Amino acid sequence: MIRHCHQFRLSPRRFAGLLIAMAAVALGCAVNVAPAQAQFFSDRPPPVPPGTVPDVPSGPAMNLAPPAGAGAPALPNPITQPPISVAPALPPAAAGVSAPGQAVLALTARYGRDLPTVNSGLVWRVYADRPDASGAFRLVREDHTATPNIVLPPGSYVVHVGLGLASAVRSVTLKQETTRESFDLPAGGLRLEGRVGSSKIPPGQITFTIFKGSQFEGGDRAPIAQNVGAGEVLLVPEGTYYIVSNYGDANSVVRSDIRIQAGKLTDVAVSHRAAVITLKLVGENGGEALANTAWSVITPAGDIIKESIGAFPRVILAEGEYRAIAKNEGKVFERTFNVVNGVDGEIEVVAR
């Protein structure tokens, strides 16, 4: 990391206030952003990942570092970190060229010590170092290029950089010269998919929720990303995470732990043991389905798994034993059936 000196230091109280203000800005811009919500992370070292989780094969991490002599690869655009439209607070100046009485702030970021520089997906924000009369820290500049040269009057500022869900913040002091600042963003990419046996689950039928840390750690935690679709790339700080995978909207749920490495894209395939079941209420075997039928799918213990109304409801169920209860014109009919992993099928309940 490039060494640098600061003649200005934020007090803990002012620094905390700035973080609150920046969190409020990010929250205000995330209303129309799906599926993830950006958060700040601490600098604590990541926990040691647990042992291998059964039935959750993870592909080898894809090294995002370029071969010797090549430029750094471009990570996909982050699915969070929306831009903020801010009118320029200062007169425009040629990029990287300081006008009389002004200084240049040259910014770069890398995935970590001895790792390549980040060449896409960055959002840089420069804030005033002191709150205004309303208590807010004014946003002075915003830039979405990888290595911006920002022209500013000499003075003290606070610089924030975000890459997906990873971020870093630092106070800087500019003089009438070029000040170079390099940030370490130890982030990696996570790409998920679901499978039943050897078959890939269609993206629209499966979603993922991501939590920081291991599933075996105690305490309730808010997710860092929700409703992440299959094939999407999520950029997160390196460390251990656990995934909750929902195949359909019934009871096919898988939890698994993963480890993300800085500067690498990790592909994870989550295996579900389930099948797609279509229900029919018929007057006789092989007959036409009766309309306006209310359905309940329950376990042998009586727990309700899924309720629906229709002639051909489809439900994705984890393998196991169930009872299908059909109600039609004031009469109740039922049948016990088994779900076998990967074997989609049709269950007929005969109305007699």
Side-chain angles (χ1 to χ4, degrees), residues 57 86 126-127 189 202 209 227 232 236 240 319 349:
V86 179
V126 180
Y127 293 85
T209 302
N227 297 320
E232 296 178 4
V236 296
T240 299
E319 65 177 349
V349 178

Side-chain angles (χ1 to χ4, degrees), residues 47 50 53 56 190 192 208-225 234 239-245 253-260 268 270:
V53 180
V56 186
L190 170 62
L192 299 160
F208 304 90
T209 302
I210 315 297
F211 296 82
K212 188 78 169 73
S214 169
Q215 61 182 311
F216 304 108
E217 298 175 359
D220 294 332
R221 282 164 287 176
I224 64 169
L234 187 68
T240 299
Y241 298 85
Y242 81 88
I243 304 166
V244 178
S245 172
V253 180
V254 174
R255 292 172 172 82
S256 51
D257 279 22
I258 57 169
R259 175 77 180 179
I260 299 299
V268 178
V270 180

Side-chain angles (χ1 to χ4, degrees), residues 25 29 82-88 123 125 139 141-142 144:
V25 171
C29 295
I84 297 177
S85 296
V86 179
V123 179
R125 293 187 176 101
L139 179 61
R141 284 284 191 274
E142 179 176 330
H144 293 246

Side-chain angles (χ1 to χ4, degrees), residues 12-13 16 39 93 118 120 122 138 142-143 162 168 174 177-178 208 220 224 243 256 273 283 307 337 343:
R13 182 176 181 181
Q39 291 188 359
V118 183
S120 66
L122 293 169
R138 182 171 59 93
E142 179 176 330
D143 197 291
L174 305 182
E177 56 190 33
T178 298
F208 304 90
D220 294 332
I224 64 169
I243 304 166
S256 51
R273 301 187 64 82
E307 292 182 317
F337 66 97
V343 181

